[in-house]
């Protein structure tokens, strides 16, 4: 058994909490992962994982060993990257994730243009509105929106900002009148998307409102269409509603309560050596996203 045998499998199982998920991540069979971890435990003469029919958890000894293994693997990958990418070219395979609507409209087209000038790079793009675990699921990079980053394992680079608008169609406002205050929102029909709360600013304070109504869909473009049809109020990021606001199809409301702009971030796992495939794409996105 080689010095590295079983370590990658052990880390993958710990981070995914599943032998089958670890196997998928590594591109091998579940039985292969199970055998490698078992052999590693035999070699160390210590139990690293608790196994039940429902879940896998890490023992105290396994947790200590895991942190050492992570540092070893990071240093190994840095050593490989330093040699194989010494010319600074983007090459290899990159896994990227982003929200569906923003990714389809902006990020994927930019990545496609980036690939035209970096033919040695291949990419897998996972568009999902689920908050992915970049480290546990093996992603190199994510594009996310928000105001803070709470995971110490990650680094975030601000690409641009986006603004959120509360708006409605003129036809709806003719029937119901515009809201005069944040408290007035409770009497209006609200078109609900994936967000459970709408955010505003009131006298310098950040406040939230829980919208209520008879309409909900997990697609921002569907929310936009319902608003255009005059079914209610919506709060959506700028890229959904800019055209409608410019043409008068929608009307912006309570602008003095508009929340602070959200950051758009490139987020990647913390490594001392950042590979060219990630660093070059981050710089490309940084120089182009703000112009969209």
């Amino acid at each position: 058994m080689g010095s590295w045998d079983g370590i990658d499998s052990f880390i993958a199982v710990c981070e995914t909490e599943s032998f089958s998920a670890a196997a998928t991540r590594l591109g091998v069979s579940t039985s292969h992962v199970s055998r490698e971890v078992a052999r590693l435990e035999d070699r160390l003469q210590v139990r690293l994982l608790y196994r039940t029919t429902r879940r896998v958890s890490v023992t105290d000894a396994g947790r200590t060993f895991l942190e050492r293994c992570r540092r070893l693997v990071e240093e190994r990958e840095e050593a490989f990257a330093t040699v194989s990418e010494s010319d600074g070219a983007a090459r290899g395979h990159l896994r990227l994730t982003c929200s569906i609507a923003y990714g389809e409209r902006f990020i994927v087209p930019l990545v496609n243009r980036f690939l035209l000038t970096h033919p040695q790079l291949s990419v897998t793009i996972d568009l999902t509105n689920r908050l992915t675990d970049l480290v546990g699921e093996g992603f190199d990079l994510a594009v996310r929106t928000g105001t803070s980053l709470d995971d110490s394992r990650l680094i975030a680079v601000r690409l641009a900002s986006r603004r959120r608008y509360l708006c409605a169609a003129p036809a709806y406002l003719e029937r119901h009148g515009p809201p005069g205050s944040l408290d007035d929102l409770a009497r209006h029909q609200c078109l609900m998307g994936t967000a459970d709360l709408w955010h505003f600013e009131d006298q310098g304070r950040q406040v939230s409102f829980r919208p209520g109504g008879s309409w909900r869909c997990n697609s921002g473009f569907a929310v936009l269409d319902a608003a255009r049809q005059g079914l209610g109020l919506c709060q959506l990021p700028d890229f959904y509603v800019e055209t409608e606001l410019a043409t008068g199809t929608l009307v912006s409301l309570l602008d003095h309560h508009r929340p602070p702009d959200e950051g758009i971030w490139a987020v990647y796992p913390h490594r001392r050596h950042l590979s060219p495939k990630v660093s070059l794409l981050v710089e490309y996105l940084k120089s182009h996203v703000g112009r969209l």
Side-chain angles (χ1 to χ4, degrees):
M1 184 176 185
S3 300
W4 288 97
D5 290 348
I7 289 179
D8 291 293
S9 292
F10 169 65
I11 293 173
V13 172
C14 291
E15 293 181 343
T16 62
E17 298 183 346
S18 164
F19 280 90
S20 60
T24 299
R25 174 171 155 181
L26 296 172
V28 297
S29 67
T30 303
S31 59
H32 175 83
V33 172
S34 180
R35 283 196 302 271
E36 282 213 324
V37 173
R39 289 170 183 165
L40 185 61
E41 289 179 319
D42 287 342
R43 179 183 178 187
L44 297 172
Q45 291 296 295
V46 66
R47 181 180 291 277
L48 301 173
L49 301 170
Y50 293 119
R51 304 159 176 83
T52 69
T53 55
R54 294 187 176 182
R55 65 188 299 265
V56 177
S57 58
V58 188
T59 66
D60 290 340
R63 195 169 292 107
T64 300
F65 187 59
L66 173 63
E67 294 309 311
R68 295 289 186 92
C69 287
R70 279 175 170 157
R71 289 198 293 271
L72 287 171
V73 169
E74 284 184 3
E75 290 176 1
R76 180 191 68 185
E77 297 306 314
E78 287 176 18
F80 285 143
T82 299
V83 175
S84 65
E85 299 173 341
S86 58
D87 59 355
R91 59 167 58 89
H93 189 74
L94 184 142
R95 295 190 68 215
L96 168 71
T97 182
C98 182
S99 63
I100 296 171
Y102 193 78
E104 287 178 340
R105 187 159 179 180
F106 298 116
I107 300 304
V108 172
L110 286 176
V111 172
N112 290 342
R113 275 186 259 163
F114 179 78
L115 291 173
L116 291 175
T117 56
H118 296 85
Q120 297 181 77
L121 181 66
S122 62
V123 63
T124 296
I125 305 173
D126 185 5
L127 298 183
T128 176
N129 292 330
R130 175 179 62 86
L131 184 61
T132 53
D133 177 358
L134 298 190
V135 176
E137 297 178 50
F139 283 99
D140 298 293
L141 182 67
V143 176
R144 291 178 175 169
T145 57
T147 56
S148 63
L149 183 68
D150 298 324
D151 193 333
S152 61
R153 301 175 301 169
L154 305 177
I155 294 176
V157 176
R158 193 181 186 101
L159 303 176
S161 300
R162 73 176 189 181
R163 181 166 293 177
R164 286 169 288 181
Y165 288 91
L166 178 73
C167 46
Y172 176 85
L173 298 175
E174 288 175 9
R175 295 194 305 271
H176 301 279
S181 66
L182 293 179
D183 290 338
D184 203 19
L185 291 175
R187 73 173 181 85
H188 282 272
Q189 180 69 233
C190 297
L191 305 172
M192 295 174 286
T194 56
D196 293 324
L197 297 173
W198 290 356
H199 300 282
F200 300 95
E201 186 170 272
D202 185 26
Q203 298 180 349
R205 296 182 301 109
Q206 307 300 309
V207 296
S208 299
F209 168 75
R210 187 175 296 277
S214 58
W215 192 100
R216 183 166 204 145
C217 183
N218 64 348
S219 163
F221 289 110
V223 174
L224 173 61
D225 184 71
R228 285 190 302 224
Q229 299 290 340
L231 294 180
L233 309 180
C234 70
Q235 188 182 61
L236 286 171
D238 47 20
F239 72 92
Y240 284 106
V241 300
E242 284 175 330
T243 300
E244 282 69 20
L245 293 174
T247 60
T249 306
L250 294 178
V251 177
S252 181
L253 305 167
L254 299 179
D255 288 345
H256 57 293
H257 288 299
R258 185 180 297 147
D261 293 353
E262 288 186 309
I264 300 171
W265 306 89
V267 183
Y268 53 88
H270 190 292
R271 296 190 180 97
R272 290 185 296 277
H273 174 86
L274 185 61
S275 66
K277 66 183 179 183
V278 175
S279 60
L280 290 174
L281 180 55
V282 169
E283 286 304 311
Y284 183 84
L285 293 174
K286 188 176 179 180
S287 64
H288 289 78
V289 169
R291 303 176 190 173
L292 300 174

